[in-house]
Structure formats: C-alpha cells, structure tokens
Amino acid sequence: MRFLLVIVLVLVLAAGGVLVGAVAVDQPGWAWSSVLLCVLGAVLLVVDRFRRRRGASSLAQEPPAAEGERTAQAEPVSFDAEEEPAEEDTDAADSLVVSELAAEVVVVDERPRYHLRACAWVGQRETLPLPVREARELGFSPCAVCGPDAALVATARAATPE
C-alpha cells in the first residue's frame, strides 16, 4: 500500500513540475501532460481501492468462528507476534459505518488494537469481547493483520438491501 502511495505522490509532484514548466516556457501542450499524470495517479488509487474492497468482502464471506475457536487466515501474514500490529487503514466513510455497529470484536488487555476473533496475531492471548462501537469509544483502533473494519463494513453492506 505504501509503495502505491509513493508512486502516486511522485506522479503528482511530476505533474506539478510539468505544469510549472509549461507556464514558464509558455507551452500550453505541456499542461495536458500534467493533467494526464494526475489522471494516472487517480486511476491507480481507484484500482487499489477496488482491489482492497474485494479482498475485504472475501474475508467477510467466511463463516464466523465458534465461541473461543481460532481459525487461520486465508493468506499467511508476516508479523512479529510480540510487537503491536499496525493500524488498519480505514477511510472516513467506513469509520462512520463501523462506529455505529454493535458487532463484537475482541481486545487484548493493555494493547491498543481491536481484532476479529480469528485474528492470527491474537493467537492464544486472553481476550475481552466488546461491541466495536464501544471499543472505538474507548480509544482502540483496528488491527491491520485481521482488518476488522473492512470485514465488518463488508458484512454490514451485504446485509443492507439496496
């Protein structure tokens, strides 16, 4: 994800440079190159967004684990079990949806993230179940390993008739 953001940032900076150059040398045709670089960056962001949502919806279609049961994730995730997992990147619209849900997540005492029950990082740690709304109110943030916000939003959207 960060690699894509670096590429988009480079494209935007290049577009700005081309635009300044177009104005400096009075070449309006170069300005169109600037627009094309910005459009390319936007297309990359949209494609990445659809790819991430598709991955989140496939997670949401898995049956929920039974009480106390841990399941392995579909893809192996590389992480250090002792270090805190990164925070899931959640956009504002999804954050708003999650903040209104009563779905249950789990937290580990003295840790800042909330997780799905099947999170590989949680493993055999002792957890406390909380409604996701309450976990957010208490200052917990979503885990990047299990992606609870993406999975909960996909489930909520699938359950809502259009």
Side-chain angles (χ1 to χ4, degrees), residues 44-136:
L44 286 174
L45 288 174
V46 168
V47 166
D48 181 64
R49 181 69 179 164
F50 281 120
R51 183 182 54 81
R52 288 191 324 144
R53 283 196 181 241
R54 185 177 28 172
S57 66
S58 68
L59 280 177
Q61 292 173 358
E62 294 176 4
E67 182 67 29
E69 179 183 325
R70 305 270 188 243
T71 58
Q73 288 186 312
E75 295 180 19
V77 178
S78 174
F79 60 88
D80 183 351
E82 293 305 312
E83 287 186 25
E84 194 64 42
E87 183 176 343
E88 178 184 12
D89 183 28
T90 306
D91 67 24
D94 289 352
S95 289
L96 183 60
V97 171
V98 170
S99 67
E100 296 173 353
L101 294 176
E104 191 173 274
V105 294
V106 294
V107 297
V108 177
D109 197 23
E110 301 294 321
R111 300 292 187 139
R113 306 277 181 258
Y114 59 86
H115 311 267
L116 297 173
R117 284 199 180 276
C119 181
W121 183 87
V122 171
Q124 297 301 316
R125 291 178 173 91
E126 189 174 327
T127 60
L128 303 167
L130 285 175
V132 68
R133 174 180 49 232
E134 185 177 340
R136 285 180 152 263

Coordinates of all heavy atoms in Angstrom, one line a residue, residues 44-136:
L44 N -4.8 4.8 -10.5 CA -4.0 3.8 -9.6 C -4.7 3.7 -8.3 O -4.9 2.6 -7.7 CB -2.6 4.2 -9.5 CG -1.7 4.0 -10.6 CD1 -0.3 4.6 -10.4 CD2 -1.6 2.5 -10.9
L45 N -5.1 4.9 -7.7 CA -5.8 4.9 -6.4 C -7.1 4.1 -6.5 O -7.5 3.4 -5.6 CB -6.0 6.3 -5.9 CG -4.7 7.0 -5.4 CD1 -5.0 8.5 -5.1 CD2 -4.1 6.3 -4.3
V46 N -7.9 4.3 -7.5 CA -9.2 3.7 -7.7 C -9.1 2.2 -7.8 O -9.8 1.4 -7.2 CB -10.0 4.3 -8.9 CG1 -11.2 3.5 -9.2 CG2 -10.4 5.7 -8.5
V47 N -8.1 1.8 -8.6 CA -7.9 0.3 -8.8 C -7.5 -0.3 -7.5 O -7.9 -1.4 -7.2 CB -6.8 0.1 -9.9 CG1 -6.3 -1.3 -9.9 CG2 -7.3 0.5 -11.3
D48 N -6.6 0.3 -6.8 CA -6.2 -0.2 -5.5 C -7.3 -0.3 -4.5 O -7.5 -1.3 -3.8 CB -5.1 0.7 -4.9 CG -4.6 0.1 -3.5 OD1 -4.1 -1.0 -3.5 OD2 -4.8 0.8 -2.5
R49 N -8.2 0.7 -4.5 CA -9.4 0.7 -3.6 C -10.3 -0.5 -3.9 O -10.8 -1.2 -3.0 CB -10.1 2.0 -3.8 CG -11.3 2.2 -2.9 CD -10.9 2.3 -1.5 NE -12.1 2.4 -0.7 CZ -12.1 2.3 0.6 NH1 -11.0 2.0 1.3 NH2 -13.2 2.4 1.3
F50 N -10.6 -0.7 -5.2 CA -11.4 -1.9 -5.6 C -10.8 -3.2 -5.2 O -11.4 -4.1 -4.8 CB -11.7 -1.8 -7.1 CG -12.8 -0.9 -7.5 CD1 -12.6 0.2 -8.3 CD2 -14.1 -1.0 -6.9 CE1 -13.6 1.1 -8.7 CE2 -15.1 -0.1 -7.2 CZ -14.8 0.9 -8.1
R51 N -9.4 -3.3 -5.4 CA -8.7 -4.5 -5.0 C -8.8 -4.7 -3.5 O -9.0 -5.9 -3.1 CB -7.2 -4.4 -5.5 CG -6.4 -5.6 -5.2 CD -5.0 -5.4 -5.6 NE -4.4 -4.3 -4.9 CZ -3.9 -4.3 -3.7 NH1 -3.9 -5.3 -3.0 NH2 -3.3 -3.2 -3.2
R52 N -8.6 -3.7 -2.7 CA -8.7 -3.9 -1.3 C -10.1 -4.2 -0.8 O -10.3 -5.0 0.1 CB -8.3 -2.6 -0.6 CG -6.8 -2.4 -0.7 CD -6.2 -1.4 0.2 NE -7.0 -0.2 0.4 CZ -7.1 0.5 1.5 NH1 -6.5 0.1 2.6 NH2 -7.9 1.6 1.6
R53 N -11.2 -3.6 -1.4 CA -12.5 -3.9 -1.1 C -12.9 -5.4 -1.4 O -13.6 -6.0 -0.7 CB -13.5 -3.0 -1.7 CG -13.5 -1.6 -1.0 CD -14.7 -0.9 -1.5 NE -14.7 0.4 -0.8 CZ -15.6 0.8 0.0 NH1 -16.6 0.1 0.3 NH2 -15.5 2.0 0.6
R54 N -12.4 -5.8 -2.6 CA -12.7 -7.2 -3.0 C -12.1 -8.2 -2.0 O -12.7 -9.2 -1.6 CB -12.1 -7.5 -4.4 CG -12.5 -8.8 -4.9 CD -12.0 -9.0 -6.3 NE -10.8 -8.2 -6.5 CZ -10.1 -8.2 -7.6 NH1 -10.3 -9.0 -8.5 NH2 -9.0 -7.4 -7.7
G55 N -10.9 -7.9 -1.5 CA -10.2 -8.7 -0.5 C -11.0 -8.7 0.8 O -11.1 -9.7 1.5
A56 N -11.5 -7.5 1.2 CA -12.3 -7.4 2.4 C -13.6 -8.2 2.3 O -14.0 -8.8 3.3 CB -12.5 -6.0 2.8
S57 N -14.2 -8.1 1.2 CA -15.5 -8.8 1.0 C -15.3 -10.3 1.1 O -16.2 -11.1 1.5 CB -16.2 -8.4 -0.2 OG -15.5 -8.8 -1.4
S58 N -14.2 -10.9 0.6 CA -13.9 -12.3 0.6 C -13.7 -12.7 2.1 O -14.1 -13.8 2.5 CB -12.8 -12.7 -0.2 OG -11.5 -12.2 0.3
L59 N -13.1 -11.9 2.9 CA -13.0 -12.2 4.3 C -14.3 -12.2 5.0 O -14.5 -13.0 5.9 CB -12.1 -11.1 5.0 CG -10.6 -11.2 4.9 CD1 -9.9 -10.0 5.5 CD2 -10.1 -12.5 5.4
A60 N -15.2 -11.3 4.6 CA -16.5 -11.2 5.3 C -17.4 -12.4 4.9 O -18.3 -12.7 5.7 CB -17.2 -9.9 4.9
Q61 N -17.1 -13.1 3.8 CA -17.9 -14.2 3.4 C -17.6 -15.5 4.2 O -18.3 -16.5 4.1 CB -17.8 -14.5 1.9 CG -18.4 -13.3 1.1 CD -18.2 -13.5 -0.3 OE1 -17.5 -14.4 -0.8 NE2 -18.7 -12.6 -1.1
E62 N -16.5 -15.5 4.9 CA -16.1 -16.7 5.7 C -17.1 -16.8 6.8 O -17.5 -15.8 7.4 CB -14.7 -16.6 6.2 CG -13.6 -16.5 5.1 CD -12.2 -16.3 5.7 OE1 -12.1 -16.2 6.9 OE2 -11.3 -16.2 4.9
P63 N -17.4 -18.1 7.2 CA -18.3 -18.2 8.4 C -17.6 -17.8 9.6 O -16.4 -18.0 9.8 CB -18.6 -19.7 8.4 CG -17.5 -20.3 7.6 CD -17.1 -19.3 6.6
P64 N -18.4 -17.2 10.6 CA -17.8 -16.8 11.8 C -17.3 -18.0 12.6 O -17.9 -19.0 12.6 CB -18.9 -16.0 12.5 CG -20.2 -16.5 11.9 CD -19.8 -16.9 10.5
A65 N -16.2 -17.8 13.4 CA -15.7 -18.8 14.2 C -16.6 -19.0 15.4 O -17.2 -18.1 15.9 CB -14.3 -18.5 14.7
A66 N -16.6 -20.3 15.9 CA -17.4 -20.6 17.1 C -16.8 -19.9 18.3 O -15.6 -19.5 18.3 CB -17.5 -22.1 17.3
E67 N -17.5 -19.8 19.4 CA -17.0 -19.1 20.6 C -15.7 -19.8 21.0 O -15.7 -21.0 21.2 CB -18.1 -19.3 21.7 CG -17.7 -18.6 23.0 CD -17.7 -17.1 22.9 OE1 -18.4 -16.5 22.0 OE2 -16.9 -16.5 23.6
G68 N -14.7 -19.0 21.2 CA -13.4 -19.5 21.7 C -12.6 -20.2 20.6 O -11.4 -20.5 20.9
E69 N -13.1 -20.4 19.4 CA -12.3 -21.1 18.4 C -11.5 -20.1 17.5 O -12.0 -19.0 17.2 CB -13.3 -21.8 17.5 CG -12.7 -22.6 16.3 CD -13.7 -23.2 15.4 OE1 -14.8 -23.6 16.0 OE2 -13.5 -23.2 14.2
R70 N -10.3 -20.4 17.2 CA -9.4 -19.6 16.4 C -9.3 -20.3 15.1 O -9.0 -21.5 15.0 CB -8.1 -19.4 17.0 CG -8.1 -18.9 18.4 CD -8.1 -17.4 18.4 NE -7.9 -16.9 19.7 CZ -8.8 -16.1 20.3 NH1 -9.9 -15.8 19.7 NH2 -8.6 -15.7 21.5
T71 N -9.4 -19.5 14.0 CA -9.1 -20.1 12.6 C -8.0 -19.4 12.0 O -7.7 -18.2 12.3 CB -10.4 -19.9 11.7 OG1 -10.7 -18.5 11.6 CG2 -11.6 -20.7 12.3
A72 N -7.3 -20.1 11.1 CA -6.2 -19.5 10.3 C -6.7 -18.6 9.2 O -7.8 -18.8 8.7 CB -5.3 -20.6 9.7
Q73 N -6.0 -17.5 8.9 CA -6.4 -16.7 7.8 C -6.1 -17.3 6.5 O -5.2 -18.2 6.4 CB -5.6 -15.3 7.9 CG -6.1 -14.5 9.1 CD -5.4 -13.2 9.0 OE1 -4.2 -13.1 8.9 NE2 -6.2 -12.1 9.1
A74 N -6.8 -16.9 5.4 CA -6.6 -17.5 4.1 C -5.2 -17.3 3.6 O -4.6 -18.1 3.0 CB -7.6 -16.9 3.1
E75 N -4.6 -16.1 3.8 CA -3.3 -15.8 3.3 C -2.3 -15.7 4.5 O -2.7 -15.1 5.5 CB -3.3 -14.4 2.6 CG -4.1 -14.4 1.3 CD -4.0 -13.1 0.7 OE1 -3.1 -12.3 1.0 OE2 -4.9 -12.8 -0.2
P76 N -1.1 -16.2 4.4 CA -0.2 -16.1 5.5 C 0.2 -14.6 5.7 O 0.4 -13.9 4.7 CB 1.0 -16.9 5.1 CG 0.9 -17.1 3.7 CD -0.6 -17.0 3.3
V77 N 0.2 -14.1 6.9 CA 0.5 -12.7 7.2 C 1.8 -12.7 7.9 O 2.0 -13.5 8.9 CB -0.6 -12.1 8.1 CG1 -0.2 -10.7 8.4 CG2 -1.9 -12.2 7.4
S78 N 2.8 -11.9 7.5 CA 4.1 -11.8 8.2 C 4.0 -10.7 9.3 O 3.7 -9.6 9.0 CB 5.1 -11.4 7.1 OG 6.3 -11.2 7.8
F79 N 4.2 -11.1 10.5 CA 4.2 -10.2 11.6 C 5.0 -10.8 12.8 O 5.2 -12.0 12.9 CB 2.8 -9.8 12.0 CG 2.0 -11.0 12.5 CD1 2.0 -11.4 13.8 CD2 1.2 -11.7 11.6 CE1 1.2 -12.5 14.2 CE2 0.5 -12.8 12.0 CZ 0.5 -13.2 13.3
D80 N 5.4 -9.9 13.7 CA 6.1 -10.3 14.9 C 5.0 -10.4 16.0 O 4.4 -9.5 16.3 CB 7.2 -9.3 15.3 CG 8.0 -9.8 16.5 OD1 7.6 -10.7 17.2 OD2 9.0 -9.1 16.8
A81 N 4.8 -11.6 16.5 CA 3.8 -11.9 17.5 C 3.9 -11.1 18.8 O 3.0 -10.8 19.5 CB 3.7 -13.4 17.8
E82 N 5.1 -10.6 19.1 CA 5.4 -9.8 20.3 C 5.2 -8.3 20.0 O 4.8 -7.6 20.9 CB 6.8 -10.0 20.8 CG 7.0 -11.5 21.3 CD 5.9 -11.8 22.4 OE1 5.7 -11.1 23.3 OE2 5.3 -12.9 22.2
E83 N 5.4 -7.8 18.8 CA 5.2 -6.4 18.5 C 3.7 -6.1 18.2 O 3.0 -7.0 17.8 CB 6.0 -6.0 17.3 CG 7.5 -5.9 17.5 CD 8.2 -5.4 16.3 OE1 7.6 -4.7 15.5 OE2 9.4 -5.7 16.2
E84 N 3.3 -4.9 18.5 CA 2.0 -4.5 18.2 C 1.7 -4.5 16.7 O 2.5 -4.0 16.0 CB 1.7 -3.1 18.8 CG 0.3 -2.7 18.9 CD -0.5 -3.6 19.9 OE1 0.0 -3.9 20.9 OE2 -1.6 -3.9 19.5
P85 N 0.6 -5.0 16.3 CA 0.3 -5.0 14.8 C 0.0 -3.5 14.4 O -0.4 -2.7 15.2 CB -0.9 -5.8 14.7 CG -1.6 -5.9 16.0 CD -0.5 -5.7 17.0
A86 N 0.2 -3.3 13.1 CA -0.1 -1.9 12.6 C -1.6 -1.6 12.7 O -2.4 -2.6 12.8 CB 0.4 -1.8 11.2
E87 N -1.9 -0.4 12.5 CA -3.3 0.0 12.5 C -3.9 -0.1 11.1 O -3.2 0.2 10.1 CB -3.5 1.5 13.0 CG -4.9 1.9 13.0 CD -5.0 3.3 13.6 OE1 -4.1 3.8 14.2 OE2 -6.1 3.9 13.4
E88 N -5.1 -0.7 11.0 CA -5.7 -0.9 9.7 C -6.1 0.5 9.1 O -6.5 1.4 9.8 CB -7.0 -1.7 9.8 CG -7.8 -1.8 8.6 CD -9.1 -2.5 8.8 OE1 -9.6 -2.7 9.9 OE2 -9.8 -2.9 7.8
D89 N -5.8 0.7 7.8 CA -6.1 1.9 7.1 C -7.6 1.9 6.7 O -8.0 1.1 5.9 CB -5.2 2.0 5.9 CG -5.4 3.3 5.1 OD1 -5.8 4.3 5.8 OD2 -5.2 3.4 3.9
T90 N -8.4 2.7 7.4 CA -9.8 2.8 7.2 C -10.2 4.2 6.7 O -9.8 5.1 7.3 CB -10.6 2.4 8.5 OG1 -10.1 1.2 9.0 CG2 -12.1 2.3 8.3
D91 N -11.0 4.2 5.6 CA -11.4 5.6 5.2 C -12.5 6.1 6.0 O -13.1 5.4 6.8 CB -11.8 5.6 3.7 CG -13.0 4.8 3.3 OD1 -13.9 4.6 4.2 OD2 -13.1 4.4 2.2
A92 N -12.8 7.4 5.9 CA -13.8 8.1 6.8 C -15.2 7.5 6.7 O -15.9 7.3 7.7 CB -13.8 9.6 6.4
A93 N -15.6 7.1 5.5 CA -17.0 6.6 5.3 C -17.1 5.2 6.0 O -18.1 5.0 6.7 CB -17.3 6.4 3.8
D94 N -16.1 4.4 5.9 CA -16.1 3.1 6.6 C -16.0 3.3 8.1 O -16.7 2.6 8.9 CB -15.0 2.2 6.1 CG -15.2 1.7 4.7 OD1 -16.3 1.9 4.1 OD2 -14.3 1.1 4.1
S95 N -15.2 4.3 8.6 CA -15.1 4.5 10.0 C -16.5 4.9 10.6 O -16.9 4.5 11.7 CB -14.1 5.7 10.3 OG -12.8 5.2 10.0
L96 N -17.2 5.7 9.8 CA -18.6 6.1 10.3 C -19.5 4.9 10.4 O -20.2 4.8 11.4 CB -19.2 7.2 9.3 CG -20.5 7.7 9.7 CD1 -20.4 8.4 11.0 CD2 -21.0 8.7 8.6
V97 N -19.5 4.0 9.4 CA -20.3 2.8 9.4 C -19.9 2.0 10.7 O -20.8 1.5 11.4 CB -20.1 2.0 8.1 CG1 -20.8 0.6 8.3 CG2 -20.7 2.8 7.0
V98 N -18.6 1.7 10.9 CA -18.1 0.9 12.0 C -18.5 1.5 13.3 O -18.9 0.8 14.2 CB -16.6 0.7 11.9 CG1 -16.1 0.0 13.1 CG2 -16.3 -0.1 10.7
S99 N -18.5 2.8 13.4 CA -18.8 3.4 14.7 C -20.2 3.3 15.1 O -20.6 3.5 16.3 CB -18.4 4.9 14.7 OG -19.2 5.6 13.8
E100 N -21.1 2.9 14.2 CA -22.5 2.7 14.5 C -22.9 1.2 14.7 O -24.0 0.9 15.0 CB -23.3 3.3 13.4 CG -23.2 4.8 13.4 CD -23.9 5.4 12.2 OE1 -24.4 4.7 11.3 OE2 -23.9 6.7 12.1
L101 N -21.9 0.3 14.5 CA -22.2 -1.1 14.6 C -22.1 -1.7 16.0 O -21.4 -1.2 16.8 CB -21.2 -1.9 13.7 CG -21.3 -1.7 12.2 CD1 -20.1 -2.5 11.5 CD2 -22.6 -2.1 11.7
A102 N -22.9 -2.7 16.3 CA -22.8 -3.4 17.6 C -22.1 -4.7 17.5 O -22.1 -5.5 18.4 CB -24.3 -3.6 18.1
A103 N -21.5 -5.0 16.3 CA -20.9 -6.3 16.1 C -19.7 -6.4 17.1 O -19.1 -5.5 17.6 CB -20.3 -6.3 14.7
E104 N -19.5 -7.7 17.5 CA -18.5 -7.9 18.6 C -17.1 -8.1 18.0 O -16.9 -8.8 17.0 CB -18.9 -9.2 19.3 CG -18.1 -9.4 20.6 CD -18.6 -10.5 21.4 OE1 -19.5 -10.3 22.2 OE2 -18.1 -11.7 21.2
V105 N -16.1 -7.5 18.6 CA -14.7 -7.6 18.3 C -14.0 -8.0 19.7 O -14.7 -8.1 20.7 CB -14.1 -6.3 17.8 CG1 -14.6 -6.0 16.4 CG2 -14.3 -5.2 18.7
V106 N -12.8 -8.3 19.6 CA -12.1 -8.7 20.8 C -10.9 -7.7 21.0 O -10.3 -7.2 20.0 CB -11.6 -10.1 20.9 CG1 -12.8 -11.1 20.9 CG2 -10.7 -10.4 19.7
V107 N -10.5 -7.5 22.3 CA -9.3 -6.7 22.6 C -8.5 -7.5 23.5 O -8.9 -8.3 24.2 CB -9.7 -5.3 23.2 CG1 -10.5 -4.5 22.2 CG2 -10.5 -5.5 24.5
V108 N -7.2 -7.2 23.5 CA -6.2 -7.8 24.5 C -5.9 -6.7 25.5 O -5.6 -5.6 25.1 CB -5.0 -8.3 23.7 CG1 -3.9 -8.8 24.7 CG2 -5.4 -9.3 22.7
D109 N -6.0 -7.0 26.7 CA -5.7 -6.1 27.8 C -4.4 -5.4 27.6 O -3.4 -6.1 27.3 CB -5.8 -6.8 29.2 CG -6.0 -5.8 30.3 OD1 -6.4 -4.7 30.1 OD2 -5.6 -6.2 31.4
E110 N -4.3 -4.1 27.8 CA -3.1 -3.3 27.7 C -2.6 -3.2 26.3 O -1.4 -2.8 26.1 CB -2.0 -3.8 28.6 CG -2.4 -3.9 30.1 CD -2.6 -2.5 30.7 OE1 -1.8 -1.6 30.4 OE2 -3.5 -2.4 31.5
R111 N -3.4 -3.5 25.3 CA -3.0 -3.3 23.9 C -4.0 -2.4 23.2 O -5.2 -2.4 23.5 CB -3.0 -4.7 23.2 CG -2.0 -5.7 23.7 CD -0.6 -5.3 23.5 NE 0.3 -6.3 23.9 CZ 1.4 -6.7 23.3 NH1 1.7 -6.0 22.2 NH2 2.2 -7.6 23.7
P112 N -3.5 -1.6 22.2 CA -4.4 -0.5 21.6 C -5.3 -1.0 20.5 O -6.0 -0.2 19.9 CB -3.4 0.5 21.1 CG -2.2 -0.3 20.8 CD -2.1 -1.4 21.8
R113 N -5.2 -2.2 20.0 CA -6.0 -2.6 18.8 C -7.1 -3.5 19.2 O -7.1 -4.2 20.2 CB -5.1 -3.4 17.9 CG -3.8 -2.7 17.5 CD -4.0 -1.7 16.3 NE -2.7 -1.1 16.0 CZ -2.4 0.1 16.4 NH1 -3.2 0.8 17.1 NH2 -1.2 0.6 16.1
Y114 N -8.2 -3.4 18.3 CA -9.3 -4.4 18.4 C -9.2 -5.3 17.2 O -8.6 -5.0 16.2 CB -10.7 -3.8 18.6 CG -11.1 -2.9 17.5 CD1 -11.7 -3.4 16.3 CD2 -11.0 -1.5 17.6 CE1 -12.2 -2.5 15.3 CE2 -11.4 -0.6 16.6 CZ -12.0 -1.1 15.5 OH -12.5 -0.3 14.5
H115 N -9.7 -6.6 17.4 CA -9.4 -7.6 16.4 C -10.7 -8.4 16.1 O -11.6 -8.4 17.0 CB -8.4 -8.6 16.9 CG -7.1 -8.0 17.5 ND1 -6.0 -7.8 16.7 CD2 -6.8 -7.5 18.7 CE1 -5.1 -7.2 17.4 NE2 -5.6 -7.0 18.6
L116 N -10.7 -9.2 15.0 CA -11.7 -10.2 14.8 C -11.3 -11.4 15.7 O -10.1 -11.6 16.0 CB -11.7 -10.6 13.3 CG -12.1 -9.5 12.3 CD1 -11.9 -10.0 10.9 CD2 -13.6 -9.1 12.6
R117 N -12.2 -12.2 16.0 CA -11.9 -13.4 16.8 C -10.9 -14.3 16.2 O -10.1 -14.9 16.9 CB -13.2 -14.3 17.1 CG -14.1 -13.7 18.1 CD -15.0 -14.7 18.6 NE -15.9 -14.1 19.6 CZ -15.6 -14.0 20.9 NH1 -14.4 -14.3 21.3 NH2 -16.4 -13.4 21.7
A118 N -10.9 -14.4 14.9 CA -10.0 -15.3 14.2 C -8.6 -14.7 13.8 O -7.8 -15.2 13.1 CB -10.6 -15.7 12.9
C119 N -8.3 -13.5 14.4 CA -7.0 -12.8 14.1 C -5.8 -13.7 14.4 O -5.7 -14.2 15.6 CB -7.0 -11.5 14.8 SG -5.4 -10.6 14.5
A120 N -4.9 -13.8 13.5 CA -3.7 -14.6 13.7 C -2.8 -14.0 14.8 O -2.1 -14.7 15.5 CB -2.9 -14.8 12.4
W121 N -2.8 -12.7 14.9 CA -2.0 -12.0 15.9 C -2.4 -12.3 17.3 O -1.6 -12.5 18.2 CB -1.9 -10.5 15.7 CG -1.0 -9.8 16.6 CD1 0.3 -9.6 16.5 CD2 -1.3 -9.3 17.9 NE1 0.8 -9.0 17.6 CE2 -0.2 -8.8 18.5 CE3 -2.5 -9.2 18.6 CZ2 -0.1 -8.2 19.7 CZ3 -2.5 -8.6 19.9 CH2 -1.3 -8.1 20.4
V122 N -3.7 -12.4 17.5 CA -4.3 -12.7 18.8 C -3.8 -14.1 19.3 O -3.4 -14.2 20.5 CB -5.8 -12.6 18.8 CG1 -6.4 -13.1 20.2 CG2 -6.2 -11.1 18.6
G123 N -3.9 -15.1 18.4 CA -3.4 -16.4 18.8 C -4.1 -16.9 20.1 O -5.3 -16.9 20.2
Q124 N -3.3 -17.3 21.1 CA -3.8 -17.8 22.3 C -3.9 -16.8 23.4 O -4.1 -17.1 24.6 CB -3.0 -19.0 22.8 CG -3.0 -20.2 21.8 CD -4.4 -20.7 21.6 OE1 -5.1 -20.9 22.5 NE2 -4.7 -21.0 20.3
R125 N -3.7 -15.5 23.1 CA -3.8 -14.5 24.1 C -5.2 -14.4 24.7 O -6.2 -14.7 24.0 CB -3.5 -13.1 23.5 CG -2.0 -13.0 23.1 CD -1.8 -11.6 22.5 NE -0.4 -11.3 22.3 CZ 0.3 -11.6 21.2 NH1 -0.4 -12.2 20.2 NH2 1.5 -11.4 21.0
E126 N -5.3 -14.0 26.0 CA -6.6 -13.8 26.6 C -7.2 -12.5 26.1 O -6.6 -11.5 26.0 CB -6.4 -13.7 28.1 CG -7.7 -13.7 28.9 CD -7.5 -13.7 30.4 OE1 -6.5 -14.3 30.8 OE2 -8.4 -13.1 31.1
T127 N -8.5 -12.7 25.6 CA -9.2 -11.5 25.0 C -10.4 -11.2 25.8 O -11.0 -12.0 26.6 CB -9.6 -11.9 23.6 OG1 -10.5 -13.0 23.6 CG2 -8.4 -12.1 22.7
L128 N -10.9 -9.9 25.6 CA -12.1 -9.4 26.1 C -13.0 -9.1 25.0 O -12.7 -8.3 24.1 CB -11.9 -8.2 27.0 CG -10.9 -8.3 28.1 CD1 -10.5 -7.0 28.7 CD2 -11.5 -9.2 29.2
P129 N -14.3 -9.6 24.9 CA -15.2 -9.2 23.8 C -15.8 -7.9 24.1 O -16.1 -7.6 25.3 CB -16.2 -10.3 23.8 CG -16.2 -10.9 25.2 CD -14.8 -10.7 25.7
L130 N -15.9 -7.1 23.1 CA -16.6 -5.7 23.2 C -17.3 -5.5 21.9 O -16.9 -5.9 20.8 CB -15.5 -4.6 23.3 CG -14.8 -4.4 24.6 CD1 -13.8 -3.3 24.4 CD2 -15.8 -4.0 25.7
P131 N -18.4 -4.7 22.0 CA -19.0 -4.2 20.7 C -18.0 -3.3 20.1 O -17.4 -2.5 20.8 CB -20.3 -3.5 21.2 CG -20.5 -4.0 22.6 CD -19.2 -4.3 23.1
V132 N -17.9 -3.3 18.8 CA -16.9 -2.5 18.1 C -17.2 -1.0 18.4 O -16.2 -0.2 18.5 CB -16.9 -2.8 16.5 CG1 -18.2 -2.3 15.9 CG2 -15.7 -2.1 15.9
R133 N -18.4 -0.6 18.5 CA -18.7 0.8 18.8 C -18.1 1.2 20.1 O -17.4 2.2 20.2 CB -20.3 1.0 18.9 CG -20.7 2.3 19.3 CD -22.2 2.4 19.4 NE -22.9 1.3 20.1 CZ -23.9 0.6 19.5 NH1 -24.3 0.8 18.3 NH2 -24.4 -0.4 20.2
E134 N -18.2 0.3 21.1 CA -17.6 0.6 22.5 C -16.1 0.6 22.4 O -15.4 1.4 23.0 CB -18.1 -0.4 23.5 CG -17.6 -0.1 24.9 CD -18.2 -1.1 25.9 OE1 -19.2 -1.8 25.6 OE2 -17.6 -1.2 27.0
A135 N -15.5 -0.4 21.6 CA -14.1 -0.4 21.5 C -13.5 0.9 20.9 O -12.5 1.4 21.4 CB -13.7 -1.6 20.6
R136 N -14.2 1.4 19.9 CA -13.8 2.7 19.4 C -13.9 3.8 20.3 O -13.1 4.7 20.4 CB -14.6 3.0 18.1 CG -14.1 2.2 16.9 CD -14.9 2.5 15.7 NE -14.1 2.2 14.5 CZ -13.4 3.2 13.9 NH1 -13.4 4.4 14.2 NH2 -12.6 2.8 12.9

